[in-house]
Amino acid sequence: MNHPSAPVSLDAAKTAAAWKAVGVARPHESAELHVLGQATYTDDIPELQGTLHAALGLSSKAHARVTAMDLAPVRASAGVVAVYTAGDIVGTNDCGPIIHDDPIFCAGEVMYVGQPLFIVVADTHDNARRAARRALVDYDELPVILTPQEAKAAESYVLPPMRLTRGQFQTAFDQAPRVVKGQLFVGGQEQFYLEGQIAYAIPREDSGMLVQCSTQHPSEMQHVVAHALGVHSHKVQVECRRMGGGFGGKESQSALWAAAAGIAAAKLRRPVKLRADRDDDMLVTGKRHCFFYEYEVGYDDSGKILAAKVDMTLRAGYSADLSGPVATRAVCHFDNTYYLSDVDIRAACGKTNTQSNTAFRGFGGPQGAIAIEYVIDEIARNLGRDALDIRRLNFYGKTERNVTPYGQEIVDNVIEALTAELEQTSEYRARRNAIDAYNAGSPVLKKGLALTPVKFGIAFNVTHLNQAGALVHVYVDGSVLVNHGGTEMGQGINTKVMQVVAHELGLDMAHVRATATDTSKVSNTSATAASTGADLNGKAAQDAARQIRERLAAYAVKLYGDEDGQPVRFFDNAVHVNGHSVPFPELVQKAYLARVQLWSDGFYATPGLHWDPKTMNGHPFSYYAYGAAVSEVVVDTLTGEWKLLRADALYDAGRSLNPAIDIGQVEGAFIQGMGWLTTEQLWWNPAGKLMTHAPSTYKIPGISDCPEDFRVKLYDNGNVEDSIHRSKAVGEPPLLLPFSVFFAIRDAISSVGGHRVNPPLNAPATSEEILRAISIVEMAA
């Protein structure tokens, strides 16, 4: 039966093809709130009456037995309401994400400077912090291990070492006409999120607990708090509207803060907020793993790699945390963009008396890939050739030489074409010649240039984590609300998911809103990590929205018929059916009266993934993201100071869901990765205390460190896999692009010796490290 409706003004099929809500630049959904200071973070949530504030009492020793702990001065401090220790935990004293070796409060033996001993609860944040410093603790000190080298020598590991082999490394190495051997140290990195760790625990009826928490993994926080309180998970609700940055540091490490706040709130039956100051945050929490490498590589006279062996030792810290998966990803990214026929790749998670290191953007991938790039850089210099030519010679092929050491066939290889485009657009060859000429006439200032490629696998290595859920509600006025399991940390996941839902229902963005991630809405979620946030949650939200669209389409056919034989189309805020153009809200209202379900859940599980951790073989990644960057630097050889003059980055985002957000992510990842490799030095004193625990001593890049000439472009390449609208992840892979900065610095140093000596440059390439490398090159030349 037909009903009156607005006539179609344009050919519906033609208009539908042109209309889209994805693949177009859109501002971040909270951009206006950010600029106006109206975006609500955990600490901005209005405090309930009776809210108390907490602080942690921390160990001052790196490794010791606690022989006595006098908390009377703490309890006597102004404003203090209560103090709790490990003995007060009614449930499980553990916040480890995989191996349960990470106590919430130390129960006798401290393992690093900054380990929490107790929590003090007071009337104000300041009173709690002051009181926490007044504990009198006696220690019986024990031997300390601080570096991965020391851990390896002592065979001190948090997990059994892992090993991946293919072919016959030793035979191929022995037969290789040329070899390169050496060592490399790459430091860790503090996440330095703008919003520190924070949890606000609010008791509910019937032993329930609401935890407002800055976390990338609400479901994990729910599990940890429930175990600490000795209750079932359905008693605990965790909510996170947004974070002021995460970068992996709030994947597992937010559990300590959530659990401690929850324990205190449950004891007192009053709301408790635990907010870490920057110094405490950096002293307590884990960082990116530093790596120590020992490598042996055989190659032929052309520079083709014939055999490669690397032994990587991570500084895991005192507990396992996520070190196992980080090491696995490092092993799986040692190849980067290169085919390695005969390999022996080893990784060991060294147990040290330092913070338990954790996830950080890239999750071991950058640490794995930089080792092979370092080797290729050395091979090129040994042969007197441009490193780009050696890289290209060793690239994976498309139909042969296209299987990774862990057994996954590469079916989407675009690295050769992408590199060729960047080589041309960046004027790499001409600039190389110009730099050689400049260096020949400049004895003090030396320029360097490097082009480095990236191949990064997308998916959690642990297969079952590759799943997501979402809820989509359509209200009778035609507005849409979406909730999903991903967390917003500024990266724009909510914006992209909203675009996906808007596209599916044919609406503009003003009709769609995303709400806080909440364990009472979507359960059993995975962390927003591994660059899978938009892939997984976008697909789940699309599934939910599609179900609603199909119901509405079927209802529209009932109302208006389908004599024209054309499918029902949703675009431009209207539903187009059988020659009629019905405003979306109008159809929704009619559907509601007809009792058509206007909400739906959605679910997605990435297909085709499998991984055997024992053999370290399988198909762990859904697809690969590619990229390349060219960096030009100038180095002052008298001071070690340097500046990035120009950076060109080309990144494969597939069919980008939102080019504006994706370009911003590439830019941010590039500068963050540059900081890791150049200025961000973590330094522990001989007693094991982290001394770089504030912005006064720990140097992240500033605006003046960004290149004046910064050219970022997205590579046009649809994903071969059925990802969300054929897009590709953009969170982590671009962090590998600033390898080009590190190797450009090394190139500049190398020019001091006429490119005849491989500079022994470790990361971060601080001014002191640059001067050390220059001195060695000068002596060797």
PDB file of all heavy atoms in Angstrom, residues 716-732:
ATOM      1  N   ASP A 716      46.962   5.637  -1.426  1.00  0.00           N
ATOM      2  CA  ASP A 716      45.674   5.163  -1.937  1.00  0.00           C
ATOM      3  C   ASP A 716      45.732   3.656  -2.153  1.00  0.00           C
ATOM      4  O   ASP A 716      46.321   3.179  -3.111  1.00  0.00           O
ATOM      5  CB  ASP A 716      45.353   5.884  -3.253  1.00  0.00           C
ATOM      6  CG  ASP A 716      43.961   5.537  -3.766  1.00  0.00           C
ATOM      7  OD1 ASP A 716      43.144   5.033  -2.973  1.00  0.00           O
ATOM      8  OD2 ASP A 716      43.697   5.765  -4.957  1.00  0.00           O
ATOM      9  N   ASN A 717      45.091   2.922  -1.239  1.00  0.00           N
ATOM     10  CA  ASN A 717      45.204   1.461  -1.302  1.00  0.00           C
ATOM     11  C   ASN A 717      44.094   0.822  -0.476  1.00  0.00           C
ATOM     12  O   ASN A 717      44.147   0.822   0.752  1.00  0.00           O
ATOM     13  CB  ASN A 717      46.568   1.020  -0.757  1.00  0.00           C
ATOM     14  CG  ASN A 717      46.706  -0.490  -0.695  1.00  0.00           C
ATOM     15  OD1 ASN A 717      46.325  -1.187  -1.626  1.00  0.00           O
ATOM     16  ND2 ASN A 717      47.240  -0.983   0.409  1.00  0.00           N
ATOM     17  N   GLY A 718      43.074   0.279  -1.112  1.00  0.00           N
ATOM     18  CA  GLY A 718      42.009  -0.401  -0.382  1.00  0.00           C
ATOM     19  C   GLY A 718      42.509  -1.683   0.238  1.00  0.00           C
ATOM     20  O   GLY A 718      43.329  -2.409  -0.339  1.00  0.00           O
ATOM     21  N   ASN A 719      42.037  -1.980   1.427  1.00  0.00           N
ATOM     22  CA  ASN A 719      42.436  -3.197   2.132  1.00  0.00           C
ATOM     23  C   ASN A 719      41.927  -4.433   1.388  1.00  0.00           C
ATOM     24  O   ASN A 719      40.765  -4.481   0.986  1.00  0.00           O
ATOM     25  CB  ASN A 719      41.861  -3.167   3.560  1.00  0.00           C
ATOM     26  CG  ASN A 719      42.535  -4.149   4.480  1.00  0.00           C
ATOM     27  OD1 ASN A 719      43.206  -5.082   4.056  1.00  0.00           O
ATOM     28  ND2 ASN A 719      42.374  -3.940   5.771  1.00  0.00           N
ATOM     29  N   VAL A 720      42.790  -5.423   1.198  1.00  0.00           N
ATOM     30  CA  VAL A 720      42.354  -6.661   0.547  1.00  0.00           C
ATOM     31  C   VAL A 720      41.451  -7.475   1.464  1.00  0.00           C
ATOM     32  O   VAL A 720      40.662  -8.304   0.994  1.00  0.00           O
ATOM     33  CB  VAL A 720      43.560  -7.527   0.105  1.00  0.00           C
ATOM     34  CG1 VAL A 720      44.405  -6.785  -0.911  1.00  0.00           C
ATOM     35  CG2 VAL A 720      44.395  -7.968   1.298  1.00  0.00           C
ATOM     36  N   GLU A 721      41.559  -7.249   2.765  1.00  0.00           N
ATOM     37  CA  GLU A 721      40.690  -7.942   3.715  1.00  0.00           C
ATOM     38  C   GLU A 721      39.401  -7.140   3.901  1.00  0.00           C
ATOM     39  O   GLU A 721      39.355  -5.928   3.678  1.00  0.00           O
ATOM     40  CB  GLU A 721      41.399  -8.119   5.060  1.00  0.00           C
ATOM     41  CG  GLU A 721      42.628  -9.005   4.997  1.00  0.00           C
ATOM     42  CD  GLU A 721      42.311 -10.433   4.582  1.00  0.00           C
ATOM     43  OE1 GLU A 721      41.218 -10.933   4.948  1.00  0.00           O
ATOM     44  OE2 GLU A 721      43.151 -11.051   3.898  1.00  0.00           O
ATOM     45  N   ASP A 722      38.357  -7.834   4.354  1.00  0.00           N
ATOM     46  CA  ASP A 722      37.056  -7.203   4.553  1.00  0.00           C
ATOM     47  C   ASP A 722      37.034  -6.458   5.890  1.00  0.00           C
ATOM     48  O   ASP A 722      36.265  -6.765   6.790  1.00  0.00           O
ATOM     49  CB  ASP A 722      35.949  -8.257   4.502  1.00  0.00           C
ATOM     50  CG  ASP A 722      34.560  -7.633   4.624  1.00  0.00           C
ATOM     51  OD1 ASP A 722      34.412  -6.443   4.288  1.00  0.00           O
ATOM     52  OD2 ASP A 722      33.643  -8.344   5.086  1.00  0.00           O
ATOM     53  N   SER A 723      37.895  -5.465   6.000  1.00  0.00           N
ATOM     54  CA  SER A 723      37.899  -4.615   7.188  1.00  0.00           C
ATOM     55  C   SER A 723      36.748  -3.622   7.072  1.00  0.00           C
ATOM     56  O   SER A 723      36.043  -3.591   6.058  1.00  0.00           O
ATOM     57  CB  SER A 723      39.237  -3.887   7.303  1.00  0.00           C
ATOM     58  OG  SER A 723      39.448  -3.097   6.136  1.00  0.00           O
ATOM     59  N   ILE A 724      36.581  -2.798   8.082  1.00  0.00           N
ATOM     60  CA  ILE A 724      35.472  -1.858   8.059  1.00  0.00           C
ATOM     61  C   ILE A 724      35.667  -0.864   6.917  1.00  0.00           C
ATOM     62  O   ILE A 724      36.592  -0.052   6.929  1.00  0.00           O
ATOM     63  CB  ILE A 724      35.312  -1.158   9.436  1.00  0.00           C
ATOM     64  CG1 ILE A 724      34.082  -0.275   9.441  1.00  0.00           C
ATOM     65  CG2 ILE A 724      36.579  -0.442   9.872  1.00  0.00           C
ATOM     66  CD1 ILE A 724      32.785  -1.046   9.360  1.00  0.00           C
ATOM     67  N   HIS A 725      34.833  -0.976   5.908  1.00  0.00           N
ATOM     68  CA  HIS A 725      34.887  -0.140   4.700  1.00  0.00           C
ATOM     69  C   HIS A 725      36.271  -0.164   4.045  1.00  0.00           C
ATOM     70  O   HIS A 725      36.701   0.815   3.446  1.00  0.00           O
ATOM     71  CB  HIS A 725      34.456   1.290   5.012  1.00  0.00           C
ATOM     72  CG  HIS A 725      32.997   1.420   5.339  1.00  0.00           C
ATOM     73  ND1 HIS A 725      32.013   1.330   4.373  1.00  0.00           N
ATOM     74  CD2 HIS A 725      32.358   1.596   6.520  1.00  0.00           C
ATOM     75  CE1 HIS A 725      30.822   1.460   4.955  1.00  0.00           C
ATOM     76  NE2 HIS A 725      31.005   1.614   6.251  1.00  0.00           N
ATOM     77  N   ARG A 726      36.966  -1.303   4.164  1.00  0.00           N
ATOM     78  CA  ARG A 726      38.280  -1.523   3.560  1.00  0.00           C
ATOM     79  C   ARG A 726      39.334  -0.533   4.065  1.00  0.00           C
ATOM     80  O   ARG A 726      40.322  -0.255   3.385  1.00  0.00           O
ATOM     81  CB  ARG A 726      38.185  -1.449   2.024  1.00  0.00           C
ATOM     82  CG  ARG A 726      37.227  -2.466   1.426  1.00  0.00           C
ATOM     83  CD  ARG A 726      37.790  -3.884   1.488  1.00  0.00           C
ATOM     84  NE  ARG A 726      36.804  -4.881   1.020  1.00  0.00           N
ATOM     85  CZ  ARG A 726      37.081  -6.161   0.801  1.00  0.00           C
ATOM     86  NH1 ARG A 726      38.305  -6.608   1.000  1.00  0.00           N
ATOM     87  NH2 ARG A 726      36.141  -6.991   0.399  1.00  0.00           N
ATOM     88  N   SER A 727      39.128  -0.028   5.262  1.00  0.00           N
ATOM     89  CA  SER A 727      40.119   0.860   5.871  1.00  0.00           C
ATOM     90  C   SER A 727      41.212   0.027   6.537  1.00  0.00           C
ATOM     91  O   SER A 727      41.108  -1.197   6.638  1.00  0.00           O
ATOM     92  CB  SER A 727      39.450   1.758   6.910  1.00  0.00           C
ATOM     93  OG  SER A 727      38.930   0.979   7.977  1.00  0.00           O
ATOM     94  N   LYS A 728      42.250   0.711   6.985  1.00  0.00           N
ATOM     95  CA  LYS A 728      43.319   0.065   7.734  1.00  0.00           C
ATOM     96  C   LYS A 728      43.591   0.836   9.021  1.00  0.00           C
ATOM     97  O   LYS A 728      43.319   2.031   9.117  1.00  0.00           O
ATOM     98  CB  LYS A 728      44.603  -0.026   6.904  1.00  0.00           C
ATOM     99  CG  LYS A 728      44.554  -1.069   5.791  1.00  0.00           C
ATOM    100  CD  LYS A 728      45.935  -1.282   5.177  1.00  0.00           C
ATOM    101  CE  LYS A 728      45.918  -2.380   4.133  1.00  0.00           C
ATOM    102  NZ  LYS A 728      47.275  -2.665   3.593  1.00  0.00           N
ATOM    103  N   ALA A 729      44.147   0.110   9.975  1.00  0.00           N
ATOM    104  CA  ALA A 729      44.448   0.696  11.277  1.00  0.00           C
ATOM    105  C   ALA A 729      45.509   1.778  11.143  1.00  0.00           C
ATOM    106  O   ALA A 729      46.380   1.716  10.268  1.00  0.00           O
ATOM    107  CB  ALA A 729      44.919  -0.387  12.230  1.00  0.00           C
ATOM    108  N   VAL A 730      45.458   2.746  12.060  1.00  0.00           N
ATOM    109  CA  VAL A 730      46.394   3.866  11.971  1.00  0.00           C
ATOM    110  C   VAL A 730      46.970   4.243  13.335  1.00  0.00           C
ATOM    111  O   VAL A 730      47.734   5.192  13.447  1.00  0.00           O
ATOM    112  CB  VAL A 730      45.689   5.076  11.311  1.00  0.00           C
ATOM    113  CG1 VAL A 730      44.718   5.730  12.285  1.00  0.00           C
ATOM    114  CG2 VAL A 730      46.678   6.083  10.768  1.00  0.00           C
ATOM    115  N   GLY A 731      46.639   3.476  14.373  1.00  0.00           N
ATOM    116  CA  GLY A 731      47.093   3.852  15.710  1.00  0.00           C
ATOM    117  C   GLY A 731      48.586   3.657  15.929  1.00  0.00           C
ATOM    118  O   GLY A 731      49.300   4.589  16.291  1.00  0.00           O
ATOM    119  N   GLU A 732      49.075   2.447  15.704  1.00  0.00           N
ATOM    120  CA  GLU A 732      50.454   2.106  16.050  1.00  0.00           C
ATOM    121  C   GLU A 732      51.460   2.152  14.900  1.00  0.00           C
ATOM    122  O   GLU A 732      52.594   2.624  15.084  1.00  0.00           O
ATOM    123  CB  GLU A 732      50.485   0.709  16.678  1.00  0.00           C
ATOM    124  CG  GLU A 732      49.788   0.628  18.009  1.00  0.00           C
ATOM    125  CD  GLU A 732      49.683  -0.811  18.502  1.00  0.00           C
ATOM    126  OE1 GLU A 732      49.117  -1.654  17.779  1.00  0.00           O
ATOM    127  OE2 GLU A 732      50.188  -1.096  19.598  1.00  0.00           O
TER     128      GLU A 732
END
